[in-house]
Structure formats: structure tokens, C-alpha cells
Amino acid sequence: MSQARILFFGLTAIYLLAVIVQFFLAGLGAFGGDWDVHSGVGFVVALGSLLLLVVAAVARLPRRMFFVTLLLVGLNALQIGLARIDVEELAALHPVNALVIVIVAYSLTQRSRGYLASKIAA
């Protein structure tokens, strides 16, 4: 079994956890905390999605998993853009997009876990 596939699963799990931490940090910011921490971690999370894409390519994951990972990168780019936009109605989509990111990241984690399990059983 490819070490890159194992790494991909581990990184997707860490990525999902980091996104959940982002929700906590957003809550802190909303109640008087420092928004810079949320922004900084968000940038690291976005870089993490790029790392996932590279590992997905190296691991030669199935095409669908690769494209879901690419979708995650696009959603992260959109998330950064939504945080910086001056139109309130569009900027308000930032938390909605974050929910989509959680759903896609969870799906990717489950898919990579299932993919690993099928390769171990084979």
C-alpha cells in the first residue's frame, strides 16, 4: 500500500480538525477575541488544502477523490476572497462556505478511509 495514500488520509483528518478549530476561533473573534488568529489559521488551512492536492496527485488517488480535493482547494480560495470582500451580502457567505468546506472535508476523510480499508482488505 502506498505511503502517500496513508499520508493523505492522515492529512485529511488533520485538515478536518483544523477547520473545526477555525469555527472555535471565529466564535472567539465574535465575542471579543482576536480575529487575527482566525485569519492566520485560515491561511494555514488553505495551504493545507494545497498540500492535500499535491499528496493526492503523488498517491495517484482515484480521479473522483482527486477532483474532490481540487474542489476543496477552490473552496478555500473562495473563503479567503469572501473574507476580504467589501460587499456585506457577499461577505456574509463566508460562514456558509465554511460549512460547505466542513462537509467536503468530512466526505474526503471518509472516502480516503474507505479507500484505504478496501486496499487493506484486497
Side-chain angles (χ1 to χ4, degrees), residues 24-97:
F24 172 76
L25 294 174
L28 279 179
F31 293 103
D34 188 2
W35 281 107
D36 290 340
V37 176
H38 176 75
S39 295
V41 172
F43 184 73
V44 172
V45 167
L47 289 177
S49 70
L50 288 171
L51 177 62
L52 280 172
L53 188 63
V54 169
V55 174
V58 169
R60 295 181 174 224
L61 293 176
R63 178 177 267 180
R64 185 173 183 148
M65 284 179 65
F66 179 81
F67 283 117
V68 172
T69 308
L70 185 60
L71 171 64
L72 196 59
V73 172
L75 289 169
N76 275 275
L78 177 61
Q79 190 72 344
I80 291 170
L82 288 171
R84 291 175 174 25
I85 199 161
D86 286 336
V87 180
E88 291 175 0
E89 292 81 7
L90 292 177
L93 292 173
H94 183 78
V96 176
N97 190 56

Side-chain angles (χ1 to χ4, degrees), residues 9-24:
F9 169 68
L11 289 175
T12 58
I14 292 168
Y15 177 88
L16 180 59
L17 180 62
V19 172
I20 292 168
V21 167
Q22 274 295 83
F23 274 91
F24 172 76

